[in-house]
Amino acid sequence: MSKQFEFADFIEEFQVEFTAYNPTGKSGWNRDTMEYEENTIVPAQMVGIILPLSEDELRYAPQGTYSVKDKKLYVLEPLTLQQEIEYKSDRYVIQSFKDYSDYADVYIYYAAWRDKGGSKA
């Protein structure tokens, strides 16, 4: 059965590039360098639609108040909560996921803006 709402073409038409920072999930000794390596973060280029939040989204956020700097993302590949992304030199942290997977071929996330020091403004 196909999805009722297909956004892939829409995303491909209006997509922008951003960087997703993915933890490798690997910690341990590197046999080549003989050094201990913590779970490293690997940047990956992704595409999607990144939009400002609407007035209603800013007003009625279930997690509390969003900032006008926060964004909504439409992507074709899944992200994880608390994952960081970078778009136009600004950092964001994935805060919530709207699950429409039964109806659409897109993942929808809210991302909170982070200042350069890593704390939310």
Side-chain angles (χ1 to χ4, degrees):
M1 182 172 118
S2 67
K3 304 285 184 181
Q4 293 178 350
F5 301 101
E6 295 182 6
F7 288 96
D9 290 341
F10 184 68
I11 288 177
E12 288 175 11
E13 185 174 347
F14 296 102
Q15 72 188 7
V16 295
E17 288 189 5
F18 65 94
T19 302
Y21 294 94
N22 303 314
T24 63
K26 298 177 184 176
S27 294
W29 287 99
N30 181 324
R31 293 181 184 180
D32 297 329
T33 63
M34 295 305 295
E35 293 179 0
Y36 184 79
E37 295 179 351
E38 291 291 330
N39 184 10
T40 56
I41 305 296
V42 178
Q45 291 301 307
M46 292 185 69
V47 295
I49 297 175
I50 300 178
L51 301 170
L53 299 181
S54 70
E55 291 290 326
D56 285 342
E57 289 167 325
L58 287 169
R59 192 174 342 191
Y60 300 114
Q63 295 86 348
T65 309
Y66 283 115
S67 160
V68 294
K69 293 182 178 183
D70 297 341
K71 303 289 184 193
K72 184 171 19 174
L73 284 79
Y74 291 81
V75 292
L76 298 175
E77 298 177 44
L79 298 169
T80 57
L81 295 179
Q82 300 306 310
Q83 182 175 5
E84 288 194 23
I85 66 165
E86 186 172 334
Y87 173 64
K88 291 189 173 181
S89 300
D90 284 326
R91 285 279 183 123
Y92 301 87
V93 176
I94 303 300
Q95 293 292 306
S96 63
F97 170 62
K98 293 184 85 170
D99 187 3
Y100 290 106
S101 59
D102 289 343
Y103 312 104
D105 61 346
V106 68
Y107 299 94
I108 303 171
Y109 297 95
Y110 288 102
W113 178 81
R114 297 287 179 184
D115 68 14
K116 300 296 181 201
S119 62
K120 184 169 181 179

